[in-house]
Amino acid sequence: MDLIYTFSSLILFLLSMKRLLLMCMMAFGIGVSAQISLGSGTSTGIIPVSSNYGYTYTQQIFTKSELNASAAGNITGVKFYLGATSSITNSTTWKVYIGHTTKTNFSSTSDWVPVASLTPVYDAEVANANGEVTVTFSTPFAYNNTDNLVIAVDENKPDYDAGNYFYTYSGASNSSIYYRSDSNNPDPTGTLPSGTRTSTKSRITFLGLAPNAPICPVVSAPADAATGVSVLPTITWASAATASSYKISLGTTPGATNVMNMVDVGNVTSYTLTNALSYNTQYYLKVYASNATGTSSGCTETSFTTGGITCPSVSSPANNATNTPLQPTISWAASPGAAGYRLTVGTTAGGNNVLNNTDIGNVTSYTFSTPLALNTDYFYTVNSYNGTNVSSSCTERKLTTTAVTPVANDECAGAIALAPGGNFDQNAIVATSVNSTSSAGATCQTSSNNNVWYSVIVPASGSITLETKLATGSTFTDTVMSVYSGNCSGLTLIQCNDDNPAGGLFSYVSLTGQTPGAKLYISVWKYTGNTSVTDGEFRISAYDSSLVLATNEVKESKNNVKVYPNPFSDILNISDIANVKNVLITDVSGRLVKTITKPDANLYLGELKQGMYLVTLEMKDGSRQTIKTIKK
């Protein structure tokens, strides 16, 4: 019986010891993991040490409310933060002190906390371990969770690093004080020199203290009871100490969460809604702060009321614009939450005889599909809508169309084709800017307007020169030119020129390495920086030396070869094929359309379109002969 009693007692003892061990292990785990972190971001500054000075002494005050500890406890160390690769080789000899204080800030530049009232907790070298400097206290410091804390760091290594590397944040005014010098190493145990006060504080973690759930953040925007708030509002609040993230609840009745239900938006202090709220509706808002311990409770609910849908902000044409194109484009900025836009246009103020509140869809521009009348005033209003919500009292604007039917090549779609020649004069044409209208100025000279358009096909050489010159008797004496690839709905700038590099005010662009057969577009503006330059005639030409048929490039054969008939239908005959090595067929734009090597006397050219062609005969003796022919 005694043996059974003894065995039972042993079992009970072992169970109680197991329970005690588990409790100790849990307590130890809580103590190890407990920590309070303050501050965020990667801004660098002079606290806790100014690493770009030889010596530093700093003190920082952290208030009880900032620490927000759950209870008194032992602080076993602190962590400071910096870039993972930041070198503090010359800023590593530290003495660290900690103590209680009733101060909330430093009242003057000499208001140091005496070191005699602080506890020394560290005297050794520190190191950057992947972005953290950990200071493990020689003896844990017992924090009473009643007073504020002061941390002092004395850096004593007689050299400096390249910059300030430690991460900081902005705290309360005058909550830190520092002294730094390249030559004078202050002694905290003696009389300290005057320092400098600052709100800059270290990003810091106190090891060993467990945090409370953070206090409720104070919402600053939208203001409580605000009206006319955007349907995509930005909610802003003040940071809460020890918070690691924030949560938002939003609803349409007090306490409701039907819009947002404790949505975690991260460790930020503002959040912009991505889904539009309803117009003219009151909303109820709460913002909470969270950390590993929990989420703040009892937070104050605020409310705000959204406004109606806003009028779109029209950017072009300018209000009261004159000389606008007959098919102008009206452009505006999007209104928050708009599902579409309606346009009203009339020839009298308030009129709608052109467009009557026409729904043009969810777009931000509208180009008239048919030309408006010449020299006519038009009044227009753009409204936004979403369902039954429509913007109201939107400003009516006015434009006046140009007084003339613009020149045919006023727009890219009407570009006039240039036929490349061998030099400027060979195929130059007389052009005009009269009755052209303005578009965006040239990129290389913004003092330019009233542009006209041309196009050219790149010849077989891949090179082409575009040039403008004076026309006899014209007052149009200064051009600006841009050359584009692509098409009229998607142009890509190749080159822009204001003045001829060789001298003169007329533009000159010389291109190489272009794709043979590609179509280029040329825009020519009038220079507006000189009032004596007026719209008028000028000459323009596209040319390349590969197209020159000068006599010094043609060696006459003893037998003058002929091609016939001319005009021809499908077959073109060569009179003396024995001396011909190759035949090149080029259209009048300079584009090589066919090459025939070792030709027969009869050339089958039925696939060519009707028109004029240049037939170049390359002779076996090296001479060339070019003949103009017409395909019927």
Side-chain angles (χ1 to χ4, degrees), residues 36-286:
I36 293 175
S37 296
L38 301 178
S40 62
T42 58
S43 296
T44 57
I46 52 180
I47 304 289
V49 300
S50 187
S51 49
N52 65 344
Y53 272 74
Y55 306 102
T56 309
Y57 182 61
T58 66
Q59 291 185 355
Q60 303 178 70
I61 295 172
F62 296 95
T63 63
K64 177 185 183 300
S65 61
E66 282 182 283
L67 292 166
N68 193 32
S70 61
N74 288 330
I75 302 174
T76 60
V78 291
K79 284 185 180 182
F80 301 99
Y81 300 90
L82 70 169
T85 60
S86 295
S87 174
I88 54 169
T89 305
N90 298 310
S91 306
T92 56
T93 304
W94 287 21
K95 291 182 180 179
V96 178
Y97 305 83
I98 189 169
H100 293 105
T101 183
T102 58
K103 291 179 181 290
T104 57
N105 56 54
F106 297 96
S107 61
S108 70
T109 58
S110 59
D111 187 28
W112 299 97
V113 176
V115 74
S117 64
L118 302 177
T119 301
V121 289
Y122 188 83
D123 186 357
E125 293 289 308
V126 298
N128 179 2
N130 196 33
E132 296 181 354
V133 169
T134 301
V135 175
T136 302
F137 292 173
S138 54
T139 301
F141 177 79
Y143 174 54
N144 62 17
N145 201 28
T146 300
D147 293 320
N148 303 325
L149 273 180
V150 59
I151 295 281
V153 177
D154 182 22
E155 197 284 304
N156 295 287
K157 199 163 189 177
D159 207 341
Y160 58 88
D161 300 298
N164 283 319
Y165 294 122
F166 284 89
Y167 292 162
T168 60
Y169 70 100
S170 182
S173 177
N174 299 325
S175 54
S176 298
I177 188 171
Y178 67 93
Y179 174 83
R180 59 185 181 179
S181 174
D182 283 332
S183 57
N184 180 38
N185 187 10
D187 181 5
T189 63
T191 301
L192 287 168
S194 293
T196 302
R197 297 180 298 167
T198 181
S199 62
T200 300
K201 300 174 77 168
S202 298
R203 274 188 53 188
I204 190 170
T205 295
F206 292 89
L207 303 174
L209 289 182
N212 273 326
I215 62 174
C216 292
V218 177
V219 176
S220 56
D224 190 23
T227 59
V229 175
S230 167
V231 292
L232 289 171
T234 296
I235 301 169
T236 306
W237 57 91
S239 61
T242 74
S244 58
S245 69
Y246 297 87
K247 297 178 180 180
I248 297 176
S249 287
L250 186 68
T252 51
T253 58
T257 59
N258 55 305
V259 178
M260 298 177 71
N261 185 10
M262 295 291 284
V263 175
D264 193 323
V265 296
N267 192 11
V268 296
T269 56
S270 68
Y271 176 78
T272 301
L273 272 67
T274 55
N275 295 320
L277 302 177
S278 298
Y279 296 100
N280 301 309
T281 302
Q282 187 171 12
Y283 289 88
Y284 297 84
L285 168 70
K286 282 187 180 182

Side-chain angles (χ1 to χ4, degrees), residues 439-458:
S439 65
T443 58
C444 57
Q445 177 51 266
T446 55
S447 295
S448 52
N449 69 6
N450 291 8
N451 61 320
V452 286
W453 289 86
Y454 301 88
S455 66
V456 68
I457 302 297
V458 177

Side-chain angles (χ1 to χ4, degrees), residues 404-573:
V404 295
T405 301
V407 66
N409 58 334
D410 186 56
E411 302 293 341
C412 176
I416 295 174
L418 301 175
N423 53 50
F424 180 91
D425 292 319
Q426 185 174 344
N427 289 331
I429 65 171
V430 176
T432 183
S433 66
V434 174
N435 294 343
S436 61
T437 57
S438 297
S439 65
T443 58
C444 57
Q445 177 51 266
T446 55
S447 295
S448 52
N449 69 6
N450 291 8
N451 61 320
V452 286
W453 289 86
Y454 301 88
S455 66
V456 68
I457 302 297
V458 177
S461 66
S463 300
I464 192 71
T465 297
L466 294 311
E467 185 176 5
T468 56
K469 289 187 178 181
L470 179 68
T472 303
S474 177
T475 57
F476 191 110
T477 56
D478 195 342
T479 62
V480 182
M481 178 194 297
S482 288
V483 182
Y484 304 87
S485 61
N487 55 59
C488 290
S489 61
L491 295 171
T492 300
L493 179 67
I494 299 175
Q495 191 169 327
C496 180
N497 174 258
D498 183 2
D499 296 331
N500 192 322
L505 302 179
F506 281 92
S507 304
Y508 173 98
V509 172
S510 183
L511 303 175
T512 59
Q514 301 300 304
T515 303
K519 191 174 187 178
L520 305 181
Y521 289 88
I522 306 101
S523 180
V524 179
W525 284 268
K526 175 187 69 177
Y527 174 67
T528 59
N530 185 341
T531 56
S532 65
V533 180
T534 60
D535 288 310
E537 292 184 337
F538 60 95
R539 291 184 296 155
I540 184 170
S541 179
Y543 59 94
D544 184 60
S545 59
S546 67
L547 305 176
V548 173
L549 301 177
T551 56
N552 61 350
E553 295 181 7
V554 180
K555 299 178 182 177
E556 291 292 343
S557 300
K558 292 181 180 179
N559 297 318
N560 191 19
V561 181
K562 295 180 174 59
V563 297
Y564 61 93
N566 194 4
F568 69 96
S569 294
D570 294 319
I571 299 175
L572 188 65
N573 302 306

